[in-house]
């Protein structure tokens, strides 16, 4: 699958009228995939062009992640990212998808400081993200987030939760470390995940947690689709940061990342190889990519 392009003064963008043969990704479709045992694929994107290419490569979900703080802004964490930044990038992504009549489900991160204060603050921030074009918002943490998730879901905003390594709290966690390694921390993480499903979260990113823990949670949470990153292959789907999987970064990739660009001839081919590898179960390789 490839997208046709139209020349512009600053490079090439897909034309506005490219017809799509695929059905839009929706919550019912994600649940159908889950029930069939088909893995869900997600990549981050922050701009129109990469979003359109990811769509053409067959990626089901795009995460406009606050990792843009690191990969776009050069920050050392996601903490400095604001709601205004998130809305700007979400609008860019959804504009790109509209140009190609994209079918991809767009998840937008609620950044640090935009939902911690109260349920009212959370819904105001989520409204900004939904009006920027997101189909679902993502927020980090368990326990205290449960009532916020329920509040948003009851008001028609789909929510993706995020447990394990939660980058917005990197300073409290003492660094980018694997979470849920002890029996006690694994039990807390499991309790939080169950509470989040009960509150109506329909997706759950599990970042840097042991593969056995994320596989067990995936079995236990049939209505909340686990999306792993550094969490082994037993999850309902996988996510990677775009720049990492393309090998475009300033440092060394984390152990759980595979550089798909090395094996492919171009960006769309690398994304398509990622989709294929996740679907057929060859990525992640638990012998290399799990704890
Ligand atoms: O911001 C982001 O890109 C994320 C992923 C690492 C899951 O939250």
């Amino acid at each position: 699958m490839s997208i046709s392009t139209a020349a512009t003064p600053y490079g090439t963008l897909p034309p506005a009228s490219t017809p799509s043969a695929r059905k839009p990704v929706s919550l019912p479709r994600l649940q159908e995939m889950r029930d069939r045992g088909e893995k869900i694929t997600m990549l981050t994107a922050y701009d129109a062009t990469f979003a359109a290419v990811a769509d053409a490569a067959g990626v089901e979900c795009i995460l406009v992640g606050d990792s843009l703080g690191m990969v776009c802004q050069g920050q050392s964490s996601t903490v400095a990212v604001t709601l205004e930044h998130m809305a700007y990038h979400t609008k860019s992504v959804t504009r790109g998808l509209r140009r190609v009549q994209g079918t991809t489900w767009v998840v937008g991160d609620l950044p640090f400081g935009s939902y911690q204060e109260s349920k009212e603050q959370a819904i105001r921030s989520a409204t900004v993200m939904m009006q920027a074009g997101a189909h679902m918002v993502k927020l980090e943490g368990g326990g205290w987030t449960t009532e916020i998730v329920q509040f948003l879901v009851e008001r028609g905003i789909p929510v993706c939760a995020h447990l394990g390594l939660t980058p917005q709290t990197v300073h409290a966690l003492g660094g980018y470390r694997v979470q849920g390694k002890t029996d006690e921390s694994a039990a807390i993480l499991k309790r939080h995940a169950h509470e989040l499903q009960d509150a109506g979260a329909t997706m759950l990113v599990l970042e840097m947690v042991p593969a056995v823990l994320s596989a067990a949670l995936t079995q236990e949470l049939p209505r909340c689709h686990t999306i792993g990153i550094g969490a082994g292959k037993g999850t309902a789907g996988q996510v990677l940061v775009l720049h990492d999987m393309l090998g475009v970064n300033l440092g060394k990739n984390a152990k759980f990342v595979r550089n798909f660009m090395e094996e492919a001839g171009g960006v769309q081919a690398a994304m398509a190889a990622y989709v294929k590898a996740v679907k057929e179960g060859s990525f992640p390789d638990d012998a290399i990519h799990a704890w």
Side-chain angles (χ1 to χ4, degrees):
M1 194 185 329
S2 79
I3 48 176
S4 51
T5 55
T8 73
Y10 308 112
T12 53
L13 278 172
S17 57
T18 307
S20 174
R22 290 175 293 149
K23 278 197 296 182
V25 179
S26 59
L27 286 181
R29 258 200 75 200
L30 290 169
Q31 186 67 56
E32 275 170 32
M33 288 176 66
R34 178 77 187 279
D35 295 343
R36 275 203 310 273
E38 181 179 346
K39 296 280 183 185
I40 298 166
T41 58
M42 180 187 277
L43 278 180
T44 67
Y46 318 97
D47 70 25
T49 309
F50 278 103
V53 175
D55 182 81
V59 172
E60 281 102 17
C61 306
I62 286 178
L63 170 63
V64 187
D66 58 2
S67 51
L68 68 86
M70 279 99 131
V71 300
C72 300
Q73 299 177 341
Q75 315 269 7
S76 58
S77 79
T78 59
V79 174
V81 176
T82 66
L83 188 59
E84 204 183 350
H85 299 151
M86 291 307 308
Y88 174 90
H89 286 275
T90 303
K91 282 181 193 163
S92 303
V93 161
T94 54
R95 224 177 275 131
L97 292 173
R98 264 200 307 279
R99 287 246 348 216
V100 294
Q101 297 177 27
T103 59
T104 310
W105 180 255
V106 178
V107 184
D109 261 338
L110 290 181
F112 181 70
S114 73
Y115 57 95
Q116 284 84 350
E117 205 175 294
S118 63
K119 293 183 293 192
E120 290 72 23
Q121 187 205 24
I123 198 145
R124 276 196 302 276
S125 302
T127 302
V128 170
M129 290 301 288
M130 300 298 280
Q131 289 180 339
H135 300 125
M136 172 180 245
V137 295
K138 177 162 84 59
L139 50 81
E140 296 184 5
W144 65 274
T145 56
T146 307
E147 65 166 346
I148 294 175
V149 170
Q150 186 172 346
F151 193 74
L152 297 180
V153 171
E154 280 171 350
R155 283 152 185 80
I157 299 178
V159 176
C160 174
H162 185 155
L163 294 175
L165 170 66
T166 45
Q168 292 175 9
T169 46
V170 63
H171 300 304
L173 294 174
Y176 296 99
R177 301 162 191 273
V178 183
Q179 303 294 312
K181 276 189 8 178
T182 64
D183 289 349
E184 195 192 350
S185 60
I188 294 171
L189 199 147
K190 272 194 167 196
R191 176 164 52 77
H192 286 166
H194 280 268
E195 288 168 358
L196 287 161
Q197 175 176 272
D198 293 346
T202 36
M203 214 179 252
L204 169 61
V205 167
L206 290 171
E207 181 163 359
M208 285 179 76
V209 301
V212 285
L213 176 57
S214 59
L217 273 173
T218 304
Q219 294 299 314
E220 292 168 20
L221 303 173
R223 289 172 287 108
C224 184
H225 317 313
T226 54
I227 307 292
I229 173 161
K233 60 165 65 190
T235 47
Q238 297 288 329
V239 58
L240 281 178
V241 169
L242 176 68
H243 295 58
D244 292 345
M245 60 82 71
L246 294 179
V248 185
N249 51 29
L250 303 173
K252 207 169 141 248
N253 265 342
K255 177 184 153 197
F256 58 76
V257 173
R258 186 195 294 178
N259 178 346
F260 285 89
M261 193 70 168
E262 270 171 0
E263 307 155 27
V267 171
Q268 191 174 323
M271 291 177 176
Y274 164 73
V275 171
K276 183 167 179 285
V278 172
K279 300 265 182 211
E280 70 188 18
S282 59
F283 178 79
D285 176 346
D286 277 356
I288 309 168
H289 300 117
W291 325 98

